[in-house]
């Protein structure tokens, strides 16, 4: 019987805070959450209101976005938790830690997309609450 050894795979949640892979993972997950929340808000707004017995949204549904990219955003979720991503200048400065030019460019694009999506989500939530 041949025995093989496996190298342990480090889970992104257990990687050091300064690890570029972890930042990409966090930015990607946050962008996905923002996109999902935007779709949920737009569907709710388009439906003209939910029935009284409607199912509650997922706990990770974004219910409020405050702030702006230069001063920092605050994101509140349906379950009462909140997140405060770094300002755009801090996030872009962290992109400079990548050694490869491609990595730095990819990081900057992800950061700009993430903050653009936060602004769009903030507008969508305001629009949905007005109607």
């Amino acid at each position: 019987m041949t025995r093989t050894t496996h190298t342990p795979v480090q889970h992104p949640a257990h990687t050091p805070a300064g690890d570029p892979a972890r930042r990409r993972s966090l930015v990607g997950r946050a962008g996905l959450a923002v996109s999902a929340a935007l779709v949920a808000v737009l569907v709710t707004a388009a439906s003209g209101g939910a029935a009284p017995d409607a199912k509650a949204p997922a706990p990770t549904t974004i219910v409020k976005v405050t702030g702006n990219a230069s001063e920092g955003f605050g994101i509140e979720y349906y379950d009462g938790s909140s997140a405060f991503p770094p300002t755009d200048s801090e996030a872009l400065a962290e992109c400079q830690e990548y050694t490869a030019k491609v990595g730095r460019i990819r990081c900057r694009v992800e950061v700009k997309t993430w903050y653009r999506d936060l602004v769009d989500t903030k507008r969508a939530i305001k629009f949905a609450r007005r109607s």
Side-chain angles (χ1 to χ4, degrees):
M1 173 186 269
T2 305
R3 185 171 226 185
T4 59
T5 58
H6 299 283
T7 56
V9 176
Q10 196 170 21
H11 189 273
H14 302 291
T15 57
D19 183 20
R22 180 163 187 242
R23 279 196 303 274
R24 277 196 312 270
S25 174
L26 291 174
V27 170
R29 281 187 277 164
L32 183 60
V34 168
S35 299
L38 182 59
V39 169
V41 168
L42 293 176
V43 167
T44 302
S47 69
D53 59 353
K55 183 179 172 185
T60 56
T61 301
I62 296 173
V63 294
K64 187 175 184 180
V65 177
T66 57
N68 58 46
S70 61
E71 295 173 10
F73 281 104
I75 306 166
E76 294 178 30
Y77 297 94
Y78 183 77
D79 66 358
S81 64
S82 57
F84 300 91
T87 64
D88 61 346
S89 59
E90 291 171 337
L92 290 172
E94 287 183 9
C95 291
Q96 292 305 110
E97 294 177 12
Y98 286 92
T99 55
K101 184 176 180 179
V102 173
R104 289 190 302 271
I105 293 170
R106 182 181 299 130
C107 179
R108 285 193 298 262
V109 169
E110 287 174 353
V111 167
K112 289 176 183 178
T113 302
W114 163 233
Y115 289 106
R116 181 203 65 207
D117 290 347
L118 278 172
V119 171
D120 289 345
T121 302
K122 186 176 177 180
R123 281 190 211 128
I125 291 171
K126 283 183 182 179
F127 177 78
R129 288 188 175 158
R130 280 189 293 220
S131 51

